[in-house]
């Protein structure tokens, strides 16, 4: 065989293999008609046959992540999908996945169905925005199964990626077990741990405590931490700490377990890995001079995420207040929650994700069969190489929508993982809108910024509020106990507030340049639609809404630029306090006139956003005046006066917090009254049978819990009232730690500290520019 024949033969073999792979891939992407589980997949004889399902679409060619890319950290399905074939086979034209989509967000054309104007015309014609949300991720078989069985509730049959129907909870569990073969085996990251630091021979004296402070600061430098010093019975000191494992540099502590002794006689002890332990001891030795062999660092089991930080800090403060690495005292549960939020960004927390829970929504009136077909087509299009199951729920039609749930494996058959970002959701909405319109549904891919929309809350928020306000008949006692538990009050209040704001849908203020550009385009589009259809109420409303968003964005942008110019050090002609005052007066007038046009949450958000700029300029004016009069120093009363002038918003916030806490205290008292009444009714009708006794015991537990909640709310209301009084009388005096009993008061303290830091920074500027001494 010649060399040319040899090469030709190899090319034929390669092409044959490629054709076989492509045939298998197309077969995998083609959704099958739903059918009952195979006999070997149904070990239980009583399971029965699932109900017949909807017919699958004849031929859907999906695309997914293409090979040859490093997708471990950054993968966007739609970007890769555009490189393959796609579209709807069987439709005239059989367009590919890269073909223009009706309502495509990336289009700039002005024709019907294209660009911002096309989307505005469709919305005015009754189309609804495409809504796709990732509700949660699950790790492991148990959580993935629980998610799938939640979707399967109320006898909703789930259709799988290969066209089978799962008719009951056991079938869902069996399916997830099959999926679990490809689940990640990686454990959650070690994010925080409690530790015991012992410097042998250091006594409980002021000098000894100072030595420990130096050791803690040096040994755990770059890591968020909190500590408490305790005296041992021998008269020496030891430190109890909670330490974040990830540091500001690339350093990360790790806790190891090692076996001491043998299986019969021995124990398992925990320690820092050799590298981490050596680094901590070396830094302590340099800072204190204490020999490394006299330093002991003993960690406890590590915890994961912000919840782990809260848990560890709460355990630490049970036996006394602690001090964090920034000098803040943590003494109660509220302090621990605030600290956990502050530590969160530095944890570099990682957790394996095995399945993704996706929700695709439609409004009441949508054809259920068409929605099912559209969702099926979308899933096979975007997740052709992933295993998935989905079902359509119609139980929420009375609330204004129906929706589909989909459980999707994060890892594809080729080992590539889904990491959706903003652009991913954008393209998912586009693809879903295309399939929905192909099945006769009026759905268009649009974005929240084009509608200046602030709607943002999830099914979890609705579930929390629903349980608290409308206990389920089958679980009434448990739901009432959940709502009355003081530990759940903040969670319920926050969920209720998110729903309230989302339903009010205040105008979202366009702060960034891309947001303002999008709003500007939307204003022009809705103006055109309003002219074309003067009798269309939605077109008129959206034009007015977008025009107002455009105005608010321009006002904030103008104020921000002017304040930035006036507060910077000018190397040319100096700006006088008189000129600044004139600008401040004009800005205040502009803000006031604009605020008069607004109502509700939109007005509050605009005032808060503008107040930040105006306060910055007012601070600069006060210091500029002192600089112009040649003051050699600024007294503490003068600084307090400056702070007080610009703390009106802070005082107003404190008063709002006080009123809110008082309302919550009154509400808690009402809950106690209702719980007592329920207990009395149960006592009146209760018999001596065990079920009645259990119900009565549950009611009494609810009464006790409600009374504890009411007492706590009363304490928090008193603390909020005292914080409001302190701020009103002395704006520059920090709120005492004893008053920081709620998250809202803790936020007030943080705002106050920021205000004082800004003042100190301005004083430093004046001192640097004029050589003044400011005390």
């Amino acid at each position: 065989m010649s060399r040319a024949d040899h090469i030709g033969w190899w090319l034929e073999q390669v092409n044959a293999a490629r054709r076989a792979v492509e045939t298998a891939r197309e077969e995998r992407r083609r959704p099958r008609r739903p059918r009952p589980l195979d006999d070997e997949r149904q070990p239980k004889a009583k399971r029965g046959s699932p109900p017949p399902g909807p017919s699958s679409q004849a031929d859907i060619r999906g695309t997914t992540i293409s090979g040859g890319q490093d997708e471990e950290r950054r993968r966007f399905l739609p970007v890769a999908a555009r490189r393959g074939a796609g579209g709807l086979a069987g439709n005239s034209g059989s367009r590919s996945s890269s073909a223009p989509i009706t309502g495509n967000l990336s289009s700039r054309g002005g024709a019907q169905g294209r660009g911002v104007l096309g989307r505005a015309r469709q919305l005015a014609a009754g189309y609804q925005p495409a809504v796709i949300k990732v509700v949660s991720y699950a790790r492991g078989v148990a959580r993935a199964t629980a998610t799938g069985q939640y979707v399967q509730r109320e006898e909703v049959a789930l259709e799988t990626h290969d066209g089978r129907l799962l008719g009951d909870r056991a079938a869902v569990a069996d399916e997830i077990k099959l999926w679990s073969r490809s689940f990640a085996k990686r454990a959650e990251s070690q994010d925080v741990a409690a530790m015991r630091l012992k410097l042998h021979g250091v006594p409980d004296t002021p000098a000894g405590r100072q030595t420990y402070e130096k050791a803690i600061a040096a040994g755990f430098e770059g890591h968020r931490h909190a500590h408490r010093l305790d005296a041992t019975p021998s008269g020496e000191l030891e430190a109890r700490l909670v330490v974040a494992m990830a540091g500001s540099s690339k350093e990360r502590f790790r806790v190891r377990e090692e076996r001491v002794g043998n299986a019969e006689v021995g124990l398992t002890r925990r320690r820092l890995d050799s590298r981490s332990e050596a680094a901590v001891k070396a830094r302590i030795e340099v800072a204190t001079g204490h020999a490394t062999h006299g330093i002991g660092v003993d960690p406890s089991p590590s915890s994961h995420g912000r919840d782990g930080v809260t848990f560890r800090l709460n355990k630490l403060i049970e036996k006394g207040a602690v001090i964090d690495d920034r000098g803040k005292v943590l003494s109660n549960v509220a302090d621990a929650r605030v600290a956990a939020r502050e530590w969160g960004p530095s944890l570099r927390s990682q957790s394996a994700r095995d399945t993704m829970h996706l929700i695709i929504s439609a409004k009441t009136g949508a054809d259920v069969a068409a929605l099912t077909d559209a969702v099926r087509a979308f899933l096979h299009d975007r997740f052709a190489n992933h295993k998935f199951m989905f079902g359509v729920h119609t139980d929420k039609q009375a609330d204004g929508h129906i929706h589909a749930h989909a459980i999707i494996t994060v890892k594809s058959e080729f080992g590539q993982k889904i990491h959706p970002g903003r652009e991913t959701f954008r393209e998912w909405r586009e693809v879903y809108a295309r399939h929905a319109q192909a099945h006769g549904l009026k759905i268009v891919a649009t974005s929240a910024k084009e509608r200046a929309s602030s709607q943002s809350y999830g099914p979890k928020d609705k579930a929390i509020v629903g349980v608290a306000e409308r206990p389920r008949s089958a679980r009434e006692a448990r739901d009432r106990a959940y709502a009355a538990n003081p530990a759940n009050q903040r969670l319920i209040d926050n969920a209720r507030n998110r729903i309230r704001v989302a339903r009010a849908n205040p105008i979202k203020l366009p702060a960034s340049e891309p947001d303002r550009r999008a709003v500007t385009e939307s204003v022009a589009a809705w103006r055109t639609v309003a002219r074309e259809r003067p009798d269309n109420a939605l077109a008129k409303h959206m034009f007015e809404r977008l025009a107002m968003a455009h105005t608010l964005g321009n006002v904030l942008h103008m104020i921000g630029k002017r304040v930035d110019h006036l507060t910077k050090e000018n190397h040319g002609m100096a700006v006088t306090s008189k000129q600044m005052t004139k600008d401040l007066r004009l800005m205040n007038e502009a803000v006031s006139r604009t605020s008069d046009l607004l109502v509700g949450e939109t007005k509050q958000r605009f005032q808060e956003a503008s107040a930040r700029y105006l306060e910055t300029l007012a601070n600069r004016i006060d210091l500029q005046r002192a600089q112009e009069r040649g003051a050699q120093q600024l007294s503490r009363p003068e600084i307090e006066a400056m702070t007080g002038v610009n703390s009106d918003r802070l005082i107003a916030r404190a008063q709002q917090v006080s009123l809110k806490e008082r309302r919550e205290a009154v509400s808690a008292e009402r809950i106690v009254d209702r719980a007592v009444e329920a207990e009395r009714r149960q006592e009146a009708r209760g018999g001596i049978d065990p079920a009645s006794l259990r119900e009565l015991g549950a009611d009494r537990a609810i009464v006790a819990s409600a009374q504890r909640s009411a007492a706590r709310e009363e304490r928090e209301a008193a603390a909020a009232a005292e914080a409001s009084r302190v701020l009103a009388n002395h704006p520059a005096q920090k709120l005492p730690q004893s008053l920081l009993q709620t998250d809202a008061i803790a936020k007030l303290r943080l705002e106050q500290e920021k205000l004082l830091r800004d003042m100190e920074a301005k004083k430093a500027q004046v001192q640097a520019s004029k050589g003044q001494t400011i005390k």
Side-chain angles (χ1 to χ4, degrees):
M1 182 181 293
S2 67
R3 180 179 178 85
D5 293 337
H6 201 167
I7 292 175
W9 180 82
W10 272 110
L11 287 176
E12 289 181 3
Q13 298 300 312
V14 171
N15 289 332
R18 180 178 294 133
R19 286 192 299 270
V21 170
E22 288 298 325
T23 301
R25 181 174 296 175
E26 290 302 319
E27 177 65 21
R28 165 68 179 81
R29 290 170 176 166
R30 185 178 299 114
R32 297 166 176 80
R33 182 178 300 277
R35 64 180 186 274
L37 288 171
D38 298 331
D39 292 339
E40 64 271 19
R41 300 281 297 280
Q42 297 191 35
K44 298 184 180 180
K46 294 183 179 180
R47 187 170 297 172
S49 300
S55 60
S56 300
Q57 190 175 326
D59 182 18
I60 303 176
R61 295 184 179 181
T63 57
T64 184
I65 311 173
S66 61
Q69 299 184 50
D70 179 11
E71 297 288 352
E72 273 301 312
R73 291 291 180 187
R74 184 178 180 85
R75 294 183 182 87
F76 295 97
L77 280 172
V79 174
R82 282 197 300 266
R83 299 172 184 169
L88 296 174
N91 293 338
S92 58
S94 187
R95 51 191 172 181
S96 70
S97 63
S98 59
I101 299 170
T102 304
N104 191 335
L105 291 171
S106 61
S107 301
R108 296 295 176 189
Q112 174 73 30
R114 297 287 184 88
V116 182
L117 178 57
R119 293 191 290 276
R121 284 171 172 156
Q122 288 177 311
L123 290 172
Y127 280 64
Q128 58 182 276
V131 178
I132 298 178
K133 295 180 180 179
V134 171
V135 181
S136 63
Y137 293 91
R139 172 181 177 269
V141 176
R143 292 303 306 162
T145 301
T147 306
Q149 291 177 341
Y150 166 79
V151 175
Q152 197 271 331
R153 71 189 190 277
E154 299 182 1
E155 307 302 324
V156 174
L158 303 188
E159 182 181 329
T160 65
H161 55 281
D162 53 0
R164 291 174 292 108
L165 288 177
L166 309 178
D168 56 22
R169 294 168 61 88
V172 171
D174 291 342
E175 183 71 12
I176 296 296
K177 284 181 182 178
L178 292 176
W179 292 8
S180 66
R181 296 171 184 172
S182 63
F183 283 2
K185 308 302 181 185
R186 186 181 68 188
E188 294 178 325
S189 58
Q190 299 178 348
D191 295 331
V192 62
M195 297 188 188
R196 175 179 172 268
L197 175 64
K198 178 69 174 178
L199 306 180
H200 295 283
V202 177
D204 183 11
T205 63
R209 289 180 175 269
Q210 187 175 8
T211 299
Y212 263 92
E213 296 288 350
K214 291 180 181 178
I216 292 169
F220 304 101
E221 181 182 6
H223 297 255
R224 299 304 307 267
H225 61 269
H227 74 275
R228 186 188 71 241
L229 297 180
D230 295 335
T232 64
S234 63
E236 294 184 356
L237 285 172
E238 67 176 11
R240 300 284 181 171
L241 303 98
V242 171
V243 181
M245 308 301 274
S248 56
S249 60
K250 293 183 179 180
E251 182 180 63
R252 189 180 188 99
F253 298 151
R254 288 177 172 81
V255 177
R256 304 299 188 197
E257 290 188 356
E258 60 182 19
R259 184 72 183 175
V260 179
N262 53 38
E264 292 77 16
V265 181
L267 54 89
T268 300
R269 73 181 185 95
R270 298 176 183 86
R271 64 174 182 82
L272 290 177
D273 67 335
S274 301
R275 183 176 182 179
S276 302
E277 186 176 29
V280 171
K281 290 183 176 181
R283 292 197 291 259
I284 292 177
E285 183 179 27
V286 171
T288 64
H290 205 82
T292 55
H293 64 268
I295 302 173
V297 183
D298 300 317
S300 70
S302 61
S303 300
H304 175 74
R306 296 187 186 184
D307 291 340
V309 175
T310 303
F311 171 74
R312 291 294 169 189
L313 288 176
N314 282 331
K315 296 289 288 184
L316 186 63
I317 65 179
E318 281 179 356
K319 296 183 179 180
V322 302
I323 301 175
D324 72 359
D325 54 304
R326 299 180 182 177
K328 292 178 61 177
V329 177
L330 312 178
S331 58
N332 54 45
V333 176
D335 291 343
R337 288 199 296 263
V338 172
R341 284 199 297 271
E342 293 175 352
W343 291 23
S346 66
L347 295 178
R348 300 207 295 273
S349 181
Q350 297 177 0
S351 179
R353 294 173 172 178
D354 294 319
T355 59
M356 178 177 67
H357 181 189
L358 202 70
I359 284 187
I360 306 169
S361 299
K363 293 182 179 179
T364 297
D367 182 84
V368 176
L371 176 64
T372 302
D373 290 340
V375 170
R376 180 188 299 113
F378 164 72
L379 293 173
H380 280 281
D381 191 322
R382 292 295 94 179
F383 308 105
N385 293 325
H386 295 254
K387 295 180 175 66
F388 60 78
M389 60 178 72
F390 76 96
V392 177
H393 286 194
T394 59
D395 56 308
K396 300 293 185 181
Q397 289 195 70
D399 295 335
H401 71 282
I402 58 176
H403 56 280
H405 294 260
I407 312 299
I408 306 164
T409 56
V410 170
K411 185 188 294 186
S412 74
E413 294 177 349
F414 306 114
Q416 298 163 317
K417 292 184 178 180
I418 305 170
H419 290 283
R422 181 177 300 177
E423 287 300 310
T424 312
F425 283 105
R426 171 181 170 274
E427 296 211 19
W428 284 357
R429 290 194 301 270
E430 292 177 359
V431 174
Y432 169 55
R434 181 185 72 194
H435 289 298
Q437 292 182 22
H439 287 87
L441 297 175
K442 290 187 172 183
I443 293 177
V444 60
T446 181
S447 67
K449 67 174 64 176
E450 289 183 358
R451 308 188 306 276
S453 175
S454 300
Q455 290 180 332
S456 179
Y457 73 93
K460 186 176 180 180
D461 294 321
K462 292 186 68 175
I464 290 171
V465 175
V467 166
E469 295 180 349
R470 296 179 297 277
R472 292 161 288 186
S473 56
R475 302 178 54 180
E476 183 175 355
R478 292 176 62 182
D479 288 352
R480 287 196 285 118
Y482 169 85
N485 189 339
N488 299 326
Q489 293 304 308
R490 300 298 174 197
L491 182 69
I492 295 171
D493 291 343
N494 290 338
R496 186 179 285 118
N497 185 63
R498 282 192 292 270
I499 293 175
R500 179 188 61 80
V501 172
R503 287 176 175 171
N505 194 19
I507 295 174
K508 184 176 181 180
L509 307 179
S512 65
E513 183 61 34
D515 287 352
R516 289 195 299 275
R517 186 164 54 247
V519 168
T520 301
E521 293 176 356
S522 295
V523 170
W526 282 105
R527 179 187 290 112
T528 300
V529 176
R531 289 172 179 170
E532 293 173 349
R533 307 183 63 175
D535 57 340
N536 189 288
L538 178 63
K540 179 181 178 181
H541 168 72
M542 290 300 298
F543 172 63
E544 293 174 350
R545 179 185 179 88
L546 271 298
M548 181 56 70
H550 182 264
T551 300
L552 299 181
N554 285 343
V555 170
L556 292 176
H557 180 62
M558 179 270 294
I559 292 176
K561 285 188 64 175
R562 186 59 179 165
V563 169
D564 186 60
H565 170 73
L566 293 175
T567 54
K568 283 184 177 179
E569 293 294 331
N570 294 302
H571 300 287
M573 183 178 296
V575 180
T576 65
S577 62
K578 185 176 181 180
Q579 292 172 309
M580 290 183 182
T581 303
K582 182 178 179 181
D583 277 79
L584 179 61
R585 188 181 301 112
L586 293 174
M587 292 179 194
N588 269 315
E589 291 176 358
V591 169
S592 178
R593 287 197 303 268
T594 306
S595 297
D596 290 341
L597 303 175
L598 307 175
V599 295
E601 194 77 22
T602 301
K603 183 173 185 176
Q604 180 179 343
R605 291 188 176 189
F606 175 72
Q607 289 176 336
E608 289 178 354
S610 58
R612 289 193 290 269
Y613 296 117
L614 300 180
E615 287 173 5
T616 300
L617 183 55
N619 285 335
R620 188 66 182 89
I621 290 172
D622 289 334
L623 291 172
Q624 181 70 22
R625 286 172 179 162
Q627 181 178 336
E628 290 172 355
R629 71 171 182 261
Q632 294 302 309
Q633 68 176 23
L634 295 180
S635 64
R636 185 66 183 178
E638 288 176 309
I639 293 296
E640 287 189 358
M642 292 181 187
T643 307
V645 168
N646 299 287
S647 61
D648 291 342
R649 183 172 64 90
L650 191 64
I651 294 172
R653 284 282 309 281
Q655 292 171 346
Q656 291 174 3
V657 169
S658 179
L659 290 174
K660 179 177 179 293
E661 295 295 342
R662 173 51 55 188
R663 287 196 299 269
E664 290 181 353
V666 173
S667 176
E669 286 294 337
R670 292 173 179 169
I671 291 175
V672 171
D673 293 339
R674 289 198 296 269
V676 170
E677 287 297 325
E679 180 191 13
R680 289 173 180 172
R681 288 195 302 269
Q682 184 63 32
E683 288 178 344
R685 68 172 181 264
I688 60 174
D689 59 286
S692 297
L693 290 176
R694 284 196 299 270
E695 285 292 328
L696 182 57
D699 285 332
R700 287 173 177 171
I702 292 171
V703 170
S705 178
Q707 289 173 338
R708 289 193 299 270
S709 176
R712 178 181 61 83
E713 294 292 354
E714 185 64 33
R715 290 194 301 271
E716 293 177 355
E722 179 63 16
S724 178
R725 187 191 65 80
V726 169
L727 283 175
N729 293 336
H730 304 285
Q733 178 180 327
K734 288 186 179 181
L735 293 174
Q737 288 287 337
S738 60
L739 296 181
L740 306 186
Q741 297 189 19
T742 68
D743 292 346
I745 303 178
K747 289 179 181 179
L748 285 175
R749 167 71 177 265
L750 293 176
E751 288 188 35
Q752 186 188 37
E753 290 175 349
K754 180 180 181 300
L755 182 60
L756 294 176
R757 285 197 301 271
D758 291 342
M759 292 300 302
E760 294 297 328
K762 296 302 180 183
K763 287 193 294 183
Q765 288 181 8
V766 175
Q767 183 177 1
S769 61
K770 289 293 186 180
Q772 299 171 343
T773 302
I774 302 178
K775 299 179 180 178

